[in-house]
Amino acid sequence: GAVVSQHPSWVICKSGTSVKIECRSLDFQATTMFWYRQFPKQSLMLMATSNEGSKATYEQGVEKDKFLINHASLTLSTLTVTSAHPEDSSFYICSARDDKLLAGGRNIQYFGAGTRLSVL
Amino acid sequence: QQQVKQSPQSLIVQKGGISIINCAYENTAFDYFPWYQQFPGKGPALLIAIRPDVSEKKEGRFTISFNKSAKQFSLHIMDSQPGDSATYFCAAWDSGAGSYQLTFGKGTKLSVIP
């Protein structure tokens, strides 16, 4: 099946530093990728929609300047948490929509394994 | 406003039993309904999906039942196994909304006991 690689899987950083998380679709092209945040025992909270070659669309309440998203190619989107603080500690997950699997009204999205961010 | 309501929040089923998770939606424009399985510390994995033009879809031990008039759909796991213990999320999508954003339910934690 389709694979989405998310790296790193776990990162610990000091408060005030920036952390970059990569999301790659390994065997398909993804014009659209999504970034989610998940708190323990809770559902996925959509942070932003990442579109190749254009600016990301952020959900209400998500700070654009804090969570920088870049989608420079059809297989790679990055999320940079700038000036991270302890309250940014969370599980971040990306998903990628397979450009080819649109027939029949489908919306096939594959998720990465997630990145656990711990800010000290 | 929660657009997809999922129940129960948690479920304990004996090995070999049937696990049933229900979802209800309000937006009649939704026309694609996937289910995702998530193990602790991992990202969700697509399990099975259905469109409203069919009432049931089966893949192995997993079956989606869809009731368009009631705006409800459910996941049935037959012959549940301890390896099925995970959190399950239902989701919905409106193909005419101009966005590929999925609307997720809050999740159901399934525990299958031997």
Side-chain angles (χ1 to χ4, degrees):
Chain A
V3 177
V4 172
S5 173
Q6 188 172 340
H7 179 81
S9 58
W10 193 14
V11 57
I12 302 173
C13 69
K14 291 183 179 180
S15 185
T17 61
S18 295
V19 174
K20 180 185 281 189
I21 302 170
E22 290 189 350
C23 181
R24 292 180 184 272
S25 56
L26 297 186
D27 51 2
F28 63 95
Q29 292 186 334
T31 303
T32 305
M33 293 187 179
F34 299 90
W35 287 96
Y36 296 87
R37 186 171 178 176
Q38 188 176 35
F39 294 100
K41 300 182 180 180
Q42 292 193 24
S43 189
L44 301 154
M45 184 186 79
L46 180 66
M47 298 175 64
T49 301
S50 172
N51 296 297
E52 187 269 337
S54 64
K55 290 184 179 180
T57 303
Y58 290 82
E59 295 300 301
Q60 192 172 8
V62 177
E63 297 177 60
K64 299 179 183 181
D65 295 332
K66 180 160 193 64
F67 298 100
L68 300 179
I69 291 172
N70 183 277
H71 195 153
S73 77
L74 288 173
T75 59
L76 174 64
S77 176
T78 60
L79 168 68
T80 301
V81 183
T82 62
S83 186
H85 290 284
E87 58 266 28
D88 299 323
S89 299
S90 191
F91 192 54
Y92 293 88
I93 310 174
C94 71
S95 76
R97 182 186 63 81
D98 192 325
D99 285 350
K100 289 185 179 178
L101 297 179
L102 293 177
R106 296 177 296 171
N107 179 0
I108 306 293
Q109 294 186 23
Y110 299 100
F111 283 80
T115 297
R116 183 157 303 284
L117 171 63
S118 297
V119 184
L120 304 178
Chain B
Q1 180 187 2
Q2 184 188 352
Q3 294 194 51
V4 179
K5 293 185 178 180
Q6 185 171 346
S7 63
Q9 191 174 359
S10 62
L11 179 63
I12 300 175
V13 172
Q14 203 123 29
K15 178 183 175 182
I18 302 174
S19 303
I20 302 175
I21 303 171
N22 301 299
C23 284
Y25 62 98
E26 297 177 358
N27 185 355
T28 56
F30 285 145
D31 55 3
Y32 178 73
F33 304 88
W35 283 88
Y36 284 85
Q37 178 190 56
Q38 185 179 28
F39 292 104
K42 302 294 183 183
L46 179 63
L47 203 56
I48 187 173
I50 197 169
R51 282 185 52 79
D53 50 350
V54 298
S55 59
E56 186 175 283
K57 183 175 181 180
K58 184 176 181 180
E59 288 186 4
R61 296 184 294 109
F62 300 92
T63 300
I64 299 179
S65 296
F66 188 84
N67 186 329
K68 189 174 181 178
S69 60
K71 293 185 287 185
Q72 295 176 348
F73 58 108
S74 59
L75 176 69
H76 292 64
I77 306 174
M78 313 299 287
D79 187 27
S80 300
Q81 299 296 313
D84 297 329
S85 298
T87 298
Y88 293 81
F89 293 97
C90 63
W93 177 54
D94 171 10
S95 64
S99 164
Y100 293 105
Q101 176 182 336
L102 294 172
T103 300
F104 285 91
K106 290 193 172 184
T108 296
K109 184 177 181 181
L110 171 65
S111 299
V112 181
I113 54 177

